[in-house]
Amino acid sequence: MWMHVLRLFQLLQIFVSIFEYLPLEDRKSVRLVSKLWNENCTRVAITKREKLVFRAHCSISDITNVLIKSNLSGMNLEFHNIFINYLPTDVWKTVGHKIYEVNVFPTSRLQDETLKDIVLYCENLASIKMWKSWERDTSSELLDFLINKCIKR
């Protein structure tokens, strides 16, 4: 019995190594095979290079549902032409611990309150990029708040 379990575990480790090298489309297909394969394909080691990309045709409620219902253990987010300021604070509170990277492209303007939510609730955030085609003035109040809270990311 134990030998069977050990062999199954070793086999899964081999599959996870293979899953890492599969293109995204193939990993999507593999995730549909079974719950076990889905769980193994959503490990951070595998998903660290994947991005969830949201564009102008995505509604705020769609984005909220995708983020909250995602079973990914780590997320890299990219926003194009979306006013992410309308994402509720609860979204950042709920999934913030899973977010490693946020990219905000031009015309997806980021207000201080949203930036504050991202920094406060995304404790594993490694990178936030705001692509500049517009002027960004972070208020001194936001910077003072983050400094006084001793936020380190």
Side-chain angles (χ1 to χ4, degrees):
M1 170 71 171
W2 287 106
M3 288 299 282
H4 180 68
V5 171
L6 180 60
R7 285 185 185 156
L8 182 60
F9 179 73
Q10 290 171 336
L11 187 59
L12 278 175
Q13 286 181 321
I14 291 169
F15 279 139
V16 168
S17 296
I18 293 168
F19 295 160
E20 257 185 86
Y21 294 99
L22 289 176
L24 178 61
E25 288 304 315
D26 292 337
R27 281 197 309 265
K28 287 179 183 178
S29 297
V30 167
R31 287 178 182 149
L32 299 174
V33 170
S34 73
K35 183 177 180 181
L36 184 61
W37 283 35
N38 184 22
E39 289 169 359
N40 283 287
C41 274
T42 57
R43 291 184 180 185
V44 173
I46 295 171
T47 61
K48 66 184 171 192
R49 294 184 307 266
E50 292 181 8
K51 289 182 191 172
L52 294 174
V53 179
F54 301 101
R55 299 190 188 280
H57 64 276
C58 301
S59 72
I60 293 298
S61 68
D62 289 342
I63 295 169
T64 299
N65 286 332
V66 167
L67 293 177
I68 289 179
K69 292 179 181 178
S70 173
N71 64 346
L72 293 174
S73 52
M75 291 189 247
N76 299 308
L77 308 178
E78 199 168 281
F79 299 96
H80 294 265
N81 303 318
I82 293 176
F83 296 104
I84 62 171
N85 301 308
Y86 297 125
L87 275 174
T89 297
D90 287 344
V91 171
W92 301 109
K93 284 182 183 178
T94 304
V95 299
H97 66 282
K98 297 178 173 186
I99 298 173
Y100 294 104
E101 182 178 296
V102 176
N103 290 313
V104 182
F105 284 85
T107 68
S108 295
R109 193 167 192 144
L110 205 57
Q111 293 176 342
D112 281 353
E113 197 61 35
T114 303
L115 184 56
K116 180 173 117 181
D117 287 344
I118 293 170
V119 173
L120 280 178
Y121 301 116
C122 301
E123 62 257 18
N124 294 310
L125 189 67
S127 164
I128 184 167
K129 296 176 186 168
M130 295 178 280
W131 302 92
K132 189 175 178 178
S133 70
W134 40 263
E135 291 301 314
R136 169 84 184 126
D137 292 321
T138 302
S139 72
S140 59
E141 291 86 19
L142 173 62
L143 295 175
D144 289 342
F145 173 82
L146 296 173
I147 290 167
N148 290 333
K149 285 279 213 180
C150 298
I151 303 295
K152 295 179 183 177
R153 301 279 185 263

